[in-house]
Amino acid sequence: MTENGFDTSCGASSGTRILVIEDEDTITEFLKTGLKYEGYQVTIAKDGVTGVDCAREMEPDLIILDIMLPDKDGFEVCRRIRRRDSDVPILMLTAKKEISDKVKGLDVGADDYLTKPFSFEELLARIRALLRRSGRAVDSTELRVVDIVLNTETREVYKGGKKVSLTPTEFSLLELFMRHPRRVFTRETLLNRIWGYDYAGDTNIVDVHISHLRDKIGDKPPCLIRTHYGVGYAFYPGEGK
Amino acid sequence: MWKKLSLRTRLTILYAGLLALLLTILGVTFFIDTRNLLIENTASHIRATAKPIIEHWLYGENLSSQAIEGTKKKPDSKYLKKISRQLARDLTSRNVVAIVLDKNGKVIANGKVLEEEPAPVSPNPFYYRRAFSGENEVTYILSTDNKNVLVLLIPLRSAPGSDHVLGVVQLSSPLTPVERILYRHGLTLAVGTLITLILGTALGLLLISSALSELRHMIATCQSITEGRMDQRVHLPQRSDEVGQLAQAFNRMVERLEASFSAQRRFVASAAHELRTPLTALRGSLEVLMRGAQDDPATVAHLCHGMYREVLRLSKLCEELLDLAKLEISENVQKEKVVLKEFVNEFEEQARVLSQEREISILEGPSVSLKADPNMLKQILFDLLQNALQHTGRNGRIALGWKLGDNGVDIWVEDNGHGILAEDLPHIFEPFYQGKKVSECGEHHKGSGLGLTLVKAMVEAHGGSIEVRSEVNRGTTFLIKLPFE
């Protein structure tokens, strides 16, 4: 934990570089967009040779590697990357469900695998876990902003040393804001991310919960959680001081 | 009960029964024949011995010396009575005893003198009358107590060949020597039959067992195949009999089944695999959108575009899967007369539109017509053209032509593209097969992987065949052989 607190608390620390080696355009598109939104730096390599070169040149913090590549298979690519860099976490994407493929992947040095079609959320979870295990990203369990301390493991929140009791929804909202400072979230996005993709209720529920959250953490102007009228909400830690 | 027995038991019982029946008939026939032969032989021997003695006494010097001068030289009853004792005695030997009977059937002389000579049997009036009426060969066997006696009757004629019979000589001989021989014979036959029967049955059982054991082996194999182990085969030592043929036919059948099953499994697996990529893209894009990307119009447009492409890809895949299924379920070929020259000319116009800068040439062959489904034929040519277009550069050349083949028409589509690797060549007609090098000219062609599979299916639905020749960097030629009908 650094002194100023909020820099490292940008959950997916903005410097984390991910190399995606995958030849399907549509898949690389959404991976690039989605991962950027989560604060990662994304580089795409469309075949194995480029992938190995990129891995050497940019020294990524994590590699997402498809097994089916046009020039050589992912196992070979994985083996080559491992020869240079024994450390970098490699997450393999496989279209096959066969156990043998998974075992082979882990044998040649992959750290984890996902079967297509996978959930993007699960991919994010795996990425976070891999980064944490490799010690490359400071994806801390304790987030600090000004005088608010949020522990994702115990799910406790302290404001100026005093414990604040939050509902699970309020806790998730606060965690999301603290992990993505200054980013504006629309009500739809908040609904999708906190209430789930299949939640079909009114967006007013977001306003209700935000209002409760503000009350509980004693958010007074200039607010930490600010309303962008007609758009949504954003969290401004620096200005709160 | 019979049906409940195992096939092996039933066959063995049948086999042994038949064998026993056959051996018994043979043995009995042989035994009876031998017996008759021996008895006849004995009888004719006795007769042959008796004949000169009788002739000597009836018609010999004795008669001349005894006859009164001037009277006819013929024996009569009186004369018979006179010589009967000596005649009977002369005819009697150690095995044979003779008695002489007069015209009334009365015994007038008995040849038995010595103790060891057999006792004569009392004459049977029935046979006596037959012999007395002039029958020469009256022979019968008389069974007394436990002894069989051969009895021969010889009429005594007043002159050789005369109808006038003075009396009858009865020769009787016990059949003991013959029966001894027959007993030995019968014993040998019985033992032989029994041994043959046992050996035969054992051998039969062995043969049946060995034939059936292979059947049992096949049953076991069938069962393990039923349990899903399609790689099982019947292993029999090289044999060309019916069981061997059955085993071979069975193995061939299982081989075909296994091939078609594994092709089906591969197809399903590849189809599922092919569905995964678009699904992954769609799912991921949607999630990214919902997680916040939806708020940025540029990103939305970008992701939506990609998603639309994937949906199109899925639809195409779906259609092609359906087509393939359709083809496989029913060969809905609707044949009609197709004049090849007209057909290709029509196709050429549409092909030029598709091929853009590439050069297309038609090499016309002899004017022929064939029975084919024109829609499918067009589909075949379009797919091959599409394939050629995908594998040639911008200044590629594609040629289409036909010639007479054996029993049909050979149509070819040739390109000068970058060819197919030899290792990929045998697999290109498999569904979703992707070569080691998908593309070398930089452009990334993503077919569905079903195009050539469908072409092959359509050609085969016409009773034709398709061949491919290819050389890397030289080009590829597809040759379709279609029958006239």
CSV table of all heavy atoms in Angstrom, one decimal, chain B residues 23-45:
chain,number,residue,atom,x,y,z
B,23,LEU,N,-23.7,-97.5,-40.0
B,23,LEU,CA,-22.8,-98.6,-39.7
B,23,LEU,C,-23.6,-99.9,-39.4
B,23,LEU,O,-23.2,-101.0,-39.8
B,23,LEU,CB,-22.0,-98.3,-38.4
B,23,LEU,CG,-20.8,-97.3,-38.7
B,23,LEU,CD1,-20.2,-96.8,-37.4
B,23,LEU,CD2,-19.8,-97.9,-39.6
B,24,THR,N,-24.7,-99.8,-38.7
B,24,THR,CA,-25.6,-101.0,-38.4
B,24,THR,C,-26.1,-101.6,-39.7
B,24,THR,O,-26.0,-102.8,-39.9
B,24,THR,CB,-26.7,-100.6,-37.5
B,24,THR,OG1,-26.2,-99.8,-36.5
B,24,THR,CG2,-27.5,-101.8,-37.0
B,25,ILE,N,-26.6,-100.7,-40.6
B,25,ILE,CA,-27.1,-101.3,-41.9
B,25,ILE,C,-26.0,-102.0,-42.6
B,25,ILE,O,-26.2,-103.1,-43.1
B,25,ILE,CB,-27.7,-100.1,-42.7
B,25,ILE,CG1,-29.0,-99.6,-42.1
B,25,ILE,CG2,-28.0,-100.6,-44.2
B,25,ILE,CD1,-29.6,-98.4,-42.7
B,26,LEU,N,-24.9,-101.3,-42.7
B,26,LEU,CA,-23.7,-101.9,-43.4
B,26,LEU,C,-23.3,-103.2,-42.8
B,26,LEU,O,-23.2,-104.2,-43.5
B,26,LEU,CB,-22.5,-100.9,-43.4
B,26,LEU,CG,-22.5,-99.9,-44.5
B,26,LEU,CD1,-21.3,-98.9,-44.2
B,26,LEU,CD2,-22.3,-100.6,-45.8
B,27,GLY,N,-23.2,-103.2,-41.5
B,27,GLY,CA,-22.8,-104.4,-40.8
B,27,GLY,C,-23.7,-105.6,-40.9
B,27,GLY,O,-23.3,-106.7,-41.3
B,28,VAL,N,-25.0,-105.3,-40.8
B,28,VAL,CA,-26.0,-106.3,-40.9
B,28,VAL,C,-26.1,-106.9,-42.3
B,28,VAL,O,-26.1,-108.1,-42.5
B,28,VAL,CB,-27.4,-105.8,-40.4
B,28,VAL,CG1,-28.5,-106.7,-40.8
B,28,VAL,CG2,-27.4,-105.5,-38.9
B,29,THR,N,-26.1,-106.0,-43.3
B,29,THR,CA,-26.1,-106.4,-44.7
B,29,THR,C,-24.9,-107.3,-44.9
B,29,THR,O,-25.0,-108.4,-45.5
B,29,THR,CB,-26.0,-105.2,-45.6
B,29,THR,OG1,-27.0,-104.3,-45.2
B,29,THR,CG2,-26.3,-105.6,-47.0
B,30,PHE,N,-23.7,-106.9,-44.5
B,30,PHE,CA,-22.5,-107.6,-44.7
B,30,PHE,C,-22.6,-109.0,-44.0
B,30,PHE,O,-22.2,-110.0,-44.6
B,30,PHE,CB,-21.3,-106.8,-44.1
B,30,PHE,CG,-20.0,-107.4,-44.4
B,30,PHE,CD1,-19.6,-107.4,-45.8
B,30,PHE,CD2,-19.2,-107.8,-43.4
B,30,PHE,CE1,-18.3,-108.0,-46.0
B,30,PHE,CE2,-18.0,-108.4,-43.7
B,30,PHE,CZ,-17.5,-108.4,-45.0
B,31,PHE,N,-23.1,-109.0,-42.8
B,31,PHE,CA,-23.2,-110.2,-42.0
B,31,PHE,C,-24.1,-111.2,-42.7
B,31,PHE,O,-23.7,-112.4,-42.9
B,31,PHE,CB,-23.7,-109.9,-40.6
B,31,PHE,CG,-23.8,-111.0,-39.7
B,31,PHE,CD1,-22.6,-111.5,-39.0
B,31,PHE,CD2,-25.0,-111.7,-39.5
B,31,PHE,CE1,-22.7,-112.6,-38.2
B,31,PHE,CE2,-25.0,-112.8,-38.6
B,31,PHE,CZ,-23.9,-113.2,-38.0
B,32,ILE,N,-25.3,-110.7,-43.1
B,32,ILE,CA,-26.3,-111.6,-43.7
B,32,ILE,C,-25.7,-112.2,-45.0
B,32,ILE,O,-25.8,-113.4,-45.3
B,32,ILE,CB,-27.6,-110.9,-44.0
B,32,ILE,CG1,-28.3,-110.6,-42.6
B,32,ILE,CG2,-28.5,-111.7,-44.9
B,32,ILE,CD1,-29.5,-109.7,-42.7
B,33,ASP,N,-25.1,-111.3,-45.8
B,33,ASP,CA,-24.5,-111.7,-47.1
B,33,ASP,C,-23.4,-112.8,-46.8
B,33,ASP,O,-23.4,-113.8,-47.5
B,33,ASP,CB,-23.8,-110.5,-47.8
B,33,ASP,CG,-24.8,-109.8,-48.7
B,33,ASP,OD1,-26.0,-110.3,-48.8
B,33,ASP,OD2,-24.4,-108.8,-49.3
B,34,THR,N,-22.6,-112.6,-45.9
B,34,THR,CA,-21.5,-113.5,-45.6
B,34,THR,C,-22.1,-114.9,-45.2
B,34,THR,O,-21.7,-115.9,-45.6
B,34,THR,CB,-20.6,-113.0,-44.5
B,34,THR,OG1,-20.3,-111.7,-44.7
B,34,THR,CG2,-19.3,-113.8,-44.3
B,35,ARG,N,-23.2,-114.8,-44.3
B,35,ARG,CA,-23.8,-116.0,-43.9
B,35,ARG,C,-24.4,-116.8,-45.0
B,35,ARG,O,-24.1,-118.0,-45.2
B,35,ARG,CB,-24.9,-115.6,-42.9
B,35,ARG,CG,-25.6,-116.8,-42.2
B,35,ARG,CD,-26.5,-116.3,-41.1
B,35,ARG,NE,-27.0,-117.4,-40.3
B,35,ARG,CZ,-28.2,-117.9,-40.6
B,35,ARG,NH1,-29.0,-117.5,-41.6
B,35,ARG,NH2,-28.6,-118.9,-39.9
B,36,ASN,N,-25.1,-116.1,-45.9
B,36,ASN,CA,-25.7,-116.7,-47.1
B,36,ASN,C,-24.7,-117.4,-47.9
B,36,ASN,O,-24.8,-118.5,-48.4
B,36,ASN,CB,-26.5,-115.7,-47.9
B,36,ASN,CG,-27.8,-115.4,-47.2
B,36,ASN,OD1,-28.2,-116.1,-46.2
B,36,ASN,ND2,-28.5,-114.3,-47.6
B,37,LEU,N,-23.6,-116.6,-48.1
B,37,LEU,CA,-22.5,-117.1,-49.0
B,37,LEU,C,-21.9,-118.4,-48.4
B,37,LEU,O,-21.7,-119.4,-49.1
B,37,LEU,CB,-21.4,-116.0,-49.1
B,37,LEU,CG,-20.3,-116.4,-50.0
B,37,LEU,CD1,-20.7,-116.3,-51.5
B,37,LEU,CD2,-19.1,-115.5,-49.8
B,38,LEU,N,-21.7,-118.3,-47.1
B,38,LEU,CA,-21.0,-119.5,-46.5
B,38,LEU,C,-22.0,-120.7,-46.5
B,38,LEU,O,-21.5,-121.8,-46.9
B,38,LEU,CB,-20.7,-119.2,-45.0
B,38,LEU,CG,-19.5,-118.4,-44.8
B,38,LEU,CD1,-19.4,-117.9,-43.3
B,38,LEU,CD2,-18.2,-119.2,-45.2
B,39,ILE,N,-23.3,-120.5,-46.3
B,39,ILE,CA,-24.2,-121.6,-46.3
B,39,ILE,C,-24.3,-122.2,-47.7
B,39,ILE,O,-24.3,-123.4,-47.9
B,39,ILE,CB,-25.6,-121.2,-45.8
B,39,ILE,CG1,-25.4,-120.9,-44.3
B,39,ILE,CG2,-26.7,-122.2,-46.0
B,39,ILE,CD1,-26.6,-120.3,-43.6
B,40,GLU,N,-24.5,-121.2,-48.7
B,40,GLU,CA,-24.6,-121.7,-50.1
B,40,GLU,C,-23.4,-122.5,-50.5
B,40,GLU,O,-23.4,-123.5,-51.2
B,40,GLU,CB,-24.7,-120.5,-51.0
B,40,GLU,CG,-26.2,-120.3,-51.5
B,40,GLU,CD,-26.3,-119.0,-52.2
B,40,GLU,OE1,-25.5,-118.6,-53.1
B,40,GLU,OE2,-27.2,-118.2,-51.8
B,41,ASN,N,-22.2,-122.0,-50.1
B,41,ASN,CA,-21.0,-122.6,-50.4
B,41,ASN,C,-20.9,-124.0,-49.8
B,41,ASN,O,-20.6,-125.0,-50.5
B,41,ASN,CB,-19.9,-121.7,-49.7
B,41,ASN,CG,-18.6,-121.8,-50.6
B,41,ASN,OD1,-18.7,-122.1,-51.8
B,41,ASN,ND2,-17.5,-121.5,-50.0
B,42,THR,N,-21.3,-124.1,-48.6
B,42,THR,CA,-21.4,-125.4,-47.9
B,42,THR,C,-22.3,-126.4,-48.7
B,42,THR,O,-22.0,-127.5,-49.0
B,42,THR,CB,-21.8,-125.3,-46.4
B,42,THR,OG1,-21.1,-124.2,-45.9
B,42,THR,CG2,-21.6,-126.6,-45.7
B,43,ALA,N,-23.5,-125.8,-49.0
B,43,ALA,CA,-24.5,-126.6,-49.6
B,43,ALA,C,-24.0,-127.1,-51.0
B,43,ALA,O,-24.1,-128.3,-51.3
B,43,ALA,CB,-25.8,-125.8,-49.8
B,44,SER,N,-23.4,-126.2,-51.8
B,44,SER,CA,-23.0,-126.6,-53.1
B,44,SER,C,-21.8,-127.6,-53.0
B,44,SER,O,-21.7,-128.5,-53.8
B,44,SER,CB,-22.7,-125.4,-54.0
B,44,SER,OG,-21.7,-124.7,-53.4
B,45,HIS,N,-21.0,-127.4,-52.0
B,45,HIS,CA,-19.9,-128.4,-51.8
B,45,HIS,C,-20.5,-129.8,-51.4
B,45,HIS,O,-20.0,-130.7,-52.0
B,45,HIS,CB,-19.1,-127.9,-50.6
B,45,HIS,CG,-18.0,-128.8,-50.3
B,45,HIS,ND1,-16.8,-128.9,-51.1
B,45,HIS,CD2,-17.8,-129.7,-49.2
B,45,HIS,CE1,-16.0,-129.8,-50.6
B,45,HIS,NE2,-16.6,-130.3,-49.4
